[in-house]
Amino acid sequence: MTETAPVPHRNLSIDQQLALRTAATHLSRQFDGTFGQETIERFLNSSYDQFAGRSTIPNFLPLLAERFARQCLHALAKVEGHHTDGKSIVLFLCVHNAGRSQMAMGFFQHLAGGGAVAWSGGSEPGNGVNPAAIAAMSERGIDISREFTKPWTDEIVRAADVVVSMGCGDACQVFPSKRYLEWTLDDPAGRAVDDVRPIRDDIERRVRGLLDELGVPAQH
């Protein structure tokens, strides 16, 4: 496949421009036959812009943009009927996508063992995943340190089979014929690990219950 070249952003270093072009090539190969170059570049550039305003490590921006664009394109492929593997998709939403939704996604991915898919997002994404949440999950053998905070998009919500809100309020988009759950949980922001553990354990119980409802056997 011919290498793609997204519209360059202003004030990008040569390395960042190269990284974005490489990301576009990766995505074009992955979605070859599903989406054209223009669609892929649009999602990649939009994803880059989503993170550019709040990232503290500019060199990571192309990688974050590629990861988020990939998720958005997967979601769009499902919405448009291009991709149907039969796996349920659960979307966990909270305000900052830094604690509750990240822990829920971590448990879901760990316990589902590939039998279902978990995504997460925030109405006001923070600058990074809560260190106390990372530490609490590490105690359970689950590494969420490499996750990143992100928003949600229309296609992501529309592609999900179940949307779990954890304090998003009216910010959570509602689409007909979609299952919505509201989990009332304390916000771990600003709390020590000792205070996060009960929240973590509550999330695990709820995730296990949801997997059972979806007919997906917990692997651990």
Side-chain angles (χ1 to χ4, degrees):
M1 174 178 288
T2 303
E3 182 174 337
T4 59
V7 177
H9 288 71
R10 291 176 295 178
N11 303 320
L12 287 190
S13 68
I14 297 298
D15 287 345
Q16 287 175 306
Q17 293 181 42
L18 176 60
L20 272 181
R21 286 196 294 270
T22 301
T25 299
H26 292 163
L27 293 171
S28 294
R29 288 172 178 164
Q30 184 172 357
F31 292 95
D32 184 29
T34 302
F35 298 118
Q37 178 179 330
E38 182 179 348
T39 298
I40 289 170
E41 291 180 3
R42 174 166 55 85
F43 274 87
L44 182 60
N45 287 323
S46 175
S47 296
Y48 184 95
D49 292 338
Q50 289 275 5
F51 297 105
R54 55 188 174 84
S55 175
T56 57
I57 310 177
N59 287 341
F60 285 169
L61 282 172
L63 175 60
L64 296 182
E66 180 181 350
R67 289 176 64 183
F68 189 58
R70 179 176 290 108
Q71 179 178 321
C72 292
L73 289 165
H74 273 303
L76 183 61
K78 180 179 178 182
V79 169
E80 294 186 348
H82 299 301
H83 177 68
T84 54
D85 59 9
K87 294 182 181 180
S88 296
I89 296 176
V90 177
L91 175 62
F92 296 100
L93 303 178
C94 67
V95 178
H96 301 303
N97 189 218
R100 292 166 291 185
S101 56
Q102 292 285 0
M103 288 191 286
M105 183 177 71
F107 272 124
F108 195 97
Q109 291 175 329
H110 181 70
L111 295 171
V117 177
W119 294 336
S120 70
S123 55
E124 300 174 14
N127 292 324
V129 179
N130 185 338
I134 293 173
M137 293 297 288
S138 179
E139 294 176 350
R140 305 304 299 274
I142 301 173
D143 183 9
I144 61 171
S145 63
R146 288 174 288 185
E147 295 298 333
F148 60 103
T149 61
K150 51 197 170 297
W152 66 74
T153 63
D154 282 355
E155 59 271 1
I156 286 175
V157 179
R158 290 169 60 199
D161 299 292
V162 181
V163 178
V164 181
S165 174
M166 306 175 183
C168 298
D170 294 337
C172 184
Q173 296 160 291
V174 177
F175 292 96
S177 303
K178 190 171 299 298
R179 184 183 179 192
Y180 288 85
L181 299 175
E182 181 69 40
W183 289 0
T184 302
L185 297 159
D186 291 334
D187 189 345
R191 297 174 184 252
V193 177
D194 286 347
D195 298 319
V196 173
R197 290 188 185 108
I199 303 171
R200 174 202 65 192
D201 294 344
D202 190 4
I203 290 173
E204 181 182 6
R205 287 192 294 270
R206 293 169 186 260
V207 168
R208 285 183 179 275
L210 179 56
L211 285 168
D212 188 55
E213 292 176 17
L214 294 173
V216 179
Q219 300 299 303
H220 304 277

